[in-house]
Amino acid sequence: MADYTIKVRRYQPESGEPAYWEEFNVELDPSLSVLDGLLQAKDRDDGSLAVRCSCRAAICGSCGMKINGKSGLGCQTQIGEAQEQADKMAAVTGVTAAEASSPIGTEADNAGLHTSGATATVTGNAPIVIEPMGNMPVIKDLVTDMESTHWTKIRRVTPWLLPHGEAPEREYIVEPESMVDITQSMACIQCGACVSSCLSMEADPLFIGPAALAKAYRFVGDPRDAETSERLTDLAHDPHGIYDCTHCFSCVDACPKGVAPMDQIMRLRRKAGENGIEDPNSGHAHEMAFVKIIEKKGTLDEALLVQESYAPGILGKLLPSKRGIQETIRSLPTIMRPLLKRKVKLRQAIPGTHHKLPKDAMAEVQAIYKHAEEHNEEFNLYIKGEEGDPEAAVEERLEPDNADYLPTQGEKEA
Amino acid sequence: MPSHDVLVIGAGLAGQRAALAAAEQGVSVGIVSKVHPVRSHSNAAQGGINAALNPDDTWESHAFDTVKGSDYLGDQDAIEIMAREAPEEILHMEHLGVTFHRNEEGKLGTRAFGGASAARTYYVADITGQAIMHVLYEQLMKYSEQITRYEEWFSSSLAIDENGECCGVVTRNVADGSMELFQAKSVILATGGSGQIWKPTTNALICTGDGIAMAYRVGAKLMDMEMIQYHPTTLAGKGFLITEGARGEGALLLNKNGERFMEKYAPNKMELASRDVVSRAEQTEINEGRGFPDGTVALDITVVPKKRIHEALREIVLVGRDFAGVDITREPIHIKPGNHYTMGGVKTDVEGRTDIPGLYAAGEVACVSVHGGNRLGANSLLDTLIFGKHSGRDAAARALRTDWSKPSGKVLEDEQAMVDDINGREKGSGRRVSEIKLELGQTMDSKVAVFRDEAGITEALETVRRLQEEAKTAYIDDHGSVFNQDLMGAIELGYMLDCAECSCIGALERKESRGAQYRTDYPERNDEDWLKHINLEKTEDGPEISYSEVTITQWQPEARTY
């Protein structure tokens, strides 16, 4: 048993008052969850504290919330760990999680917020800060309106199987791996943690978003679905679709079930590219331009981005496509703006003058490309591990020579 | 007044399947759920779903295993229907999009499960319930014109017309607290079990016996309420479920001396004996001092190849890591029997019809009875789908031939008065709802569990009756309209206490040991006196006991060994 102070961002819609912070002192075993802490506060102190919850075992997806600023499930986060995190934040930054958490309403509120953050809690520890999920309207306390955001977006991707013709007499015969592959996105419990953490959605509320796009991959990757190309075209053409993701990994980090929504979005992009789907954003061509330029120069030569996106290679320049010319002209204001604001020097804007990395550094960059090509396998919890030994796979990736620049997802999950 | 030909209450597997089946008949359907449908507890079914689909398997074999598993208390006509229709239903789910595991040929693959004479459990890793339920919800979204979803509407009372037929339900919109009387020609209860009256339990917080109690209160008979399954592998203290699929994949049960103790209790099926048998074996080991100090035995999953664990038991890896701090691929995990499933429930026939015309029940809320004294693993998902489908079809057929009957507004007035009464109780006038729930849970888990006797059950019943009195003055903090979970908790407490009372009465009445009911004072099965169902009907003085026959078609009771 240990004492904890949980600091909850509360909002009681019928009171007419703005949101406010309230601290509760709870006493429970560190191995129990943040949700257990909230339920204890609700049971003992204030039954009006609203929080959706049901299974307590990270399977129903009800208790999405932000804990110390990070989106996740209340039931899956051990309260002892949440306390360590809150203490660490306070120690490292000199700011408690409470102070760093989203400001509320008026300046007076914020002032109050800072004072209470600085005051030592009853338990003497930094309080564990709990807030409702982001990117969604709050209904009451930790309860958010998922219907108007999350579920509307899910319905946007035509979330049901669209097979061709009559069903077979028996089951569809499909590659066993294909089912395991989409089981990763089937593992999504629709908790909304990824939506809550999505930085792209914060900038563009219309972004279809990580959960709905992961759901889309569940059909695009399903060999029984007959509308693969239509689905991909739809998602590639939507300006708020697959190319609206900025690759920030927040959703991968937040997802409690290892669905890795961003990976599913990348799969959608790859499939769109493979299917030759031209999109108005030129998202795929743009992506390929990034890959090509960095392979050649080691770092990004932004001056080459436009021409490589719209008129790739020598052929592209000799025989520019009509669209290539149009898009290049259309990009001119975007190119000019940083020049005029002097964020970019003129010589940086001249294509081809960007420096190349020194030879040994280039060798390392190429090693990354080689490694990526050789290990072109999906990160999938249901497949991870080779020859039945997940550690072997991870150890191999952690060879000291190439450990610095390798993706960390596999290691984190191992 | 919103009205639908068929109104389904509860949106887990049974409810969603019922709604889809009814909609196929061309009637208007409404589905009401106190939580968003994908939050329903069917999610938690990990291991899989049974069907004799392989050419070398037979439905008779599946049916017999189920009959034997039920300790001969299951009704064999219903079991036959379930086993016969299982293969078609699995294929239907596959066609809708469930990502069932495939074998190397790309066909549906199976795993072994407890109490079964063949590997006939179809699965999606260890998220089978979730995978099926999310696919059904996809279908609900697809058919949103035929099926209206009322997500987060809390039902509290059934409406009965002057002919004694069910004609609607009173529900509360959780989001704003408004109360409505929904009108319907047929009402299907699919609200799940009552596991929350035990603590700990594998059941979700929402499993408070709502439908069982609502049906009981309007005069429907309950059946086999004493039959409560304790699952052999749950995490001590927290009650989290470790799928039987782990044992299906080869995991072993060991006592503190490292002995594979199931050799003593079930030499043939070992860890894959019926759940009641395995739970009793574990509890005996623990009671006789061969368990670990924390009152557990060990489940050793490390014997399963790691690749297989990651592919097929992924959820359990997470449960071990997140909730027990154990890497199950490296070390055994401590487990014990824990409350898991309500075999009993609202008495229905094979079409889901209860004793009240127009009122149906399907899934865990119902007692058809296909599970009898003990449910086999991977038969519950099947039960929900098969009898969800039957209920949906029959409810639609009834709606097509029935005229509207206008429910009296009194039921809504009564409900409002009940809410006002709860809201009007002063702080400190009685106990907190949460305190009563805790005492109830602990009492039931210590007195009406794996081993029972008259003294213990009597004590539990007395406690339940005292708590029923205390619940009348229990107070709540929240008096608002929006998302008033406090108020709903107080209403749920009433449901829980009704269910608990019936479970105690049933357990006290059945003076024998059969399936999950093991009476230390009557340790033998007694077919002569007790091969019958115990029915309970509400009266002013509590539940009135009556009996009904067990339907036997082709399998006469025999001694049950594994």
Side-chain angles (χ1 to χ4, degrees), chain A residues 266-413:
Chain A
M266 294 310 132
R267 287 173 176 175
L268 289 170
R269 287 189 186 177
R270 199 175 318 130
K271 290 221 171 198
E274 286 164 10
N275 280 263
I277 290 165
E278 284 273 348
D279 58 283
N281 312 306
S282 284
H284 179 65
H286 200 57
E287 221 169 47
M288 295 318 290
F290 265 86
V291 173
K292 202 168 149 189
I293 294 168
I294 295 174
E295 186 177 18
K296 222 168 169 177
K297 300 211 158 187
T299 54
L300 182 66
D301 180 355
E302 290 185 71
L304 284 175
L305 258 183
V306 173
Q307 48 171 302
E308 277 307 314
S309 299
Y310 300 116
I314 296 174
L315 200 65
K317 278 147 203 103
L318 292 176
L319 298 168
S321 66
K322 194 177 155 203
R323 175 146 187 258
I325 297 168
Q326 283 174 345
E327 292 292 343
T328 309
I329 294 170
R330 198 175 297 161
S331 302
L332 282 175
T334 315
I335 297 169
M336 292 306 289
R337 218 175 295 134
L339 276 173
L340 292 173
K341 300 215 166 172
R342 306 228 171 136
K343 282 192 169 173
V344 175
K345 291 180 187 138
L346 187 60
R347 63 179 162 80
Q348 289 175 303
I350 301 169
T353 57
H354 183 83
H355 71 281
K356 200 170 164 178
L357 285 183
K359 213 171 176 189
D360 53 336
M362 273 314 290
E364 286 198 31
V365 170
Q366 269 143 21
I368 296 176
Y369 273 74
K370 187 160 168 276
H371 182 92
E373 272 158 28
E374 282 170 5
H375 293 75
N376 188 15
E377 58 192 53
E378 304 292 351
F379 167 62
N380 186 326
L381 295 172
Y382 291 88
I383 302 173
K384 189 165 65 72
E386 291 165 17
E387 270 88 51
D389 188 359
E391 281 106 44
V394 173
E395 274 157 25
E396 189 236 336
R397 287 182 213 146
L398 280 173
E399 280 164 19
D401 282 346
N402 53 11
D404 289 347
Y405 48 72
L406 288 172
T408 54
Q409 311 161 31
E411 298 146 29
K412 198 183 71 194
E413 284 298 329

Side-chain angles (χ1 to χ4, degrees), chain B residues 488-551:
Chain B
M488 290 185 286
I491 299 173
E492 286 171 343
L493 174 64
Y495 297 148
M496 288 161 65
L497 288 165
D498 281 0
C499 293
E501 183 184 17
C502 292
S503 286
C504 290
I505 298 271
L508 203 55
E509 176 66 11
R510 184 173 288 283
K511 293 176 180 59
E512 65 154 355
S513 291
R514 180 186 301 270
Q517 155 98 343
Y518 192 93
R519 289 280 298 259
T520 52
D521 42 358
Y522 300 95
E524 299 298 323
R525 192 175 88 190
N526 175 354
D527 287 338
E528 201 168 310
D529 298 324
W530 290 105
L531 184 60
K532 58 189 179 190
H533 298 291
I534 295 174
N535 296 178
L536 300 173
E537 199 174 346
K538 186 178 166 67
T539 69
E540 299 243 319
D541 313 315
E544 184 181 273
I545 297 168
S546 58
Y547 306 99
S548 57
E549 291 294 309
V550 173
T551 308

Side-chain angles (χ1 to χ4, degrees), chain A residues 10 22-26 37-49, chain B residues 427 432 434 475 477:
Chain A
R10 301 203 59 184
E22 185 168 2
E23 288 185 1
F24 296 94
N25 295 311
V26 293
L38 283 164
L39 290 179
Q40 192 182 98
K42 190 177 164 80
D43 281 351
R44 293 185 185 171
D45 301 326
D46 186 356
S48 75
L49 175 60
Chain B
K427 191 164 184 160
R432 289 183 78 82
S434 54
Y475 72 92
D477 301 325

Side-chain angles (χ1 to χ4, degrees), chain A residues 2-117:
Chain A
D3 292 319
Y4 300 96
T5 301
I6 53 177
K7 179 166 178 158
V8 185
R9 182 185 159 125
R10 301 203 59 184
Y11 172 61
Q12 297 274 319
E14 292 162 277
S15 68
E17 301 294 320
Y20 60 98
W21 292 105
E22 185 168 2
E23 288 185 1
F24 296 94
N25 295 311
V26 293
E27 188 193 13
L28 64 167
D29 191 274
S31 74
L32 291 175
S33 68
V34 167
L35 177 66
D36 288 320
L38 283 164
L39 290 179
Q40 192 182 98
K42 190 177 164 80
D43 281 351
R44 293 185 185 171
D45 301 326
D46 186 356
S48 75
L49 175 60
V51 54
R52 283 197 188 98
C53 56
S54 179
C55 75
R56 302 157 299 135
I59 191 74
C60 77
S62 300
C63 65
M65 58 184 72
K66 281 189 189 172
I67 300 162
N68 296 323
K70 185 178 179 296
S71 299
L73 294 178
C75 70
Q76 202 188 27
T77 311
Q78 291 189 350
I79 197 158
E81 277 175 17
Q83 182 64 65
E84 279 171 31
Q85 202 180 27
D87 290 340
K88 210 180 286 171
M89 283 173 82
V92 170
T93 62
V95 183
T96 63
E99 288 168 316
S101 54
S102 342
I104 288 180
T106 64
E107 277 180 34
D109 283 331
N110 290 335
L113 177 68
H114 280 267
T115 347
S116 67

Side-chain angles (χ1 to χ4, degrees), chain B residues 28-313:
Chain B
S28 84
V29 180
I31 184 163
V32 182
S33 171
K34 68 177 176 178
V35 292
H36 186 284
V38 306
R39 314 295 175 214
S40 304
H41 189 55
S42 308
N43 261 334
Q46 297 169 339
I49 178 164
N50 288 333
L53 185 55
N54 275 335
D56 50 357
D57 197 1
T58 64
W59 72 262
E60 289 93 343
S61 166
H62 179 190
F64 172 71
D65 289 343
T66 305
V67 169
K68 181 180 169 187
S70 81
D71 219 346
Y72 295 89
L73 190 64
D75 285 318
Q76 296 181 9
D77 54 342
I79 292 171
E80 286 190 7
I81 288 172
M82 184 171 83
R84 266 179 207 267
E85 296 181 9
E88 189 194 320
E89 189 65 17
I90 301 284
L91 292 175
H92 180 52
M93 289 300 123
E94 198 277 327
H95 294 157
L96 291 182
V98 177
T99 56
F100 282 117
H101 171 81
R102 306 291 159 143
N103 62 21
E104 284 173 1
E105 295 169 357
K107 296 178 178 166
L108 296 178
T110 57
R111 68 163 39 129
F113 238 64
S117 46
R120 63 167 76 92
T121 302
Y122 294 86
Y123 65 99
V124 181
D126 52 359
I127 55 167
T128 313
Q130 178 197 336
I132 299 178
M133 195 166 74
H134 282 243
V135 166
L136 286 185
Y137 187 67
E138 290 165 12
Q139 297 298 309
L140 285 193
M141 291 191 279
K142 182 177 178 184
Y143 293 106
S144 59
E145 286 189 7
Q146 292 91 331
I147 303 170
T148 309
R149 304 189 303 274
Y150 298 91
E151 295 167 351
E152 294 185 325
W153 284 69
F154 178 87
S155 300
S156 54
S157 250
L158 295 166
I160 303 294
D161 69 13
E162 54 217 12
N163 302 321
E165 302 187 6
C166 187
C167 59
V169 65
V170 179
T171 81
R172 175 187 176 92
N173 184 350
V174 177
D176 65 11
S178 60
M179 285 172 62
E180 293 256 22
L181 175 55
F182 281 41
Q183 186 183 14
K185 293 179 181 174
S186 308
V187 174
I188 303 174
L189 293 171
T191 52
S194 59
Q196 276 296 317
I197 63 183
W198 281 263
K199 190 179 169 72
T201 172
T202 64
N203 282 205
L205 296 168
I206 55 174
C207 302
T208 47
D210 303 17
I212 300 176
M214 276 191 277
Y216 174 68
R217 289 172 185 182
V218 295
K221 276 188 184 135
L222 305 184
M223 188 164 94
D224 298 346
M225 285 297 287
E226 68 280 16
M227 294 302 181
I228 301 297
Q229 182 164 79
Y230 269 62
H231 192 288
T233 53
T234 70
L235 287 186
K238 302 179 183 177
F240 294 134
L241 178 64
I242 307 284
T243 176
E244 185 166 304
R247 282 171 286 140
E249 300 289 344
L252 308 176
L253 288 170
L254 306 171
N255 64 19
K256 74 167 178 189
N257 306 322
E259 293 157 349
R260 199 177 164 193
F261 58 84
M262 284 310 297
E263 284 169 359
K264 278 186 290 184
Y265 304 92
N268 297 317
K269 296 296 286 183
M270 303 289 276
E271 281 82 0
L272 289 177
S274 277
R275 287 178 175 172
D276 58 329
V277 174
V278 181
S279 285
R280 267 195 300 281
E282 290 176 4
Q283 197 61 53
T284 304
E285 291 294 303
I286 295 163
N287 291 352
E288 293 177 1
R290 291 184 297 278
F292 294 96
D294 57 347
T296 61
V297 290
L299 177 70
D300 186 2
I301 311 177
T302 64
V303 294
V304 181
K306 278 180 185 162
K307 181 170 186 288
R308 187 65 189 151
I309 293 181
H310 285 288
E311 178 184 296
L313 298 171

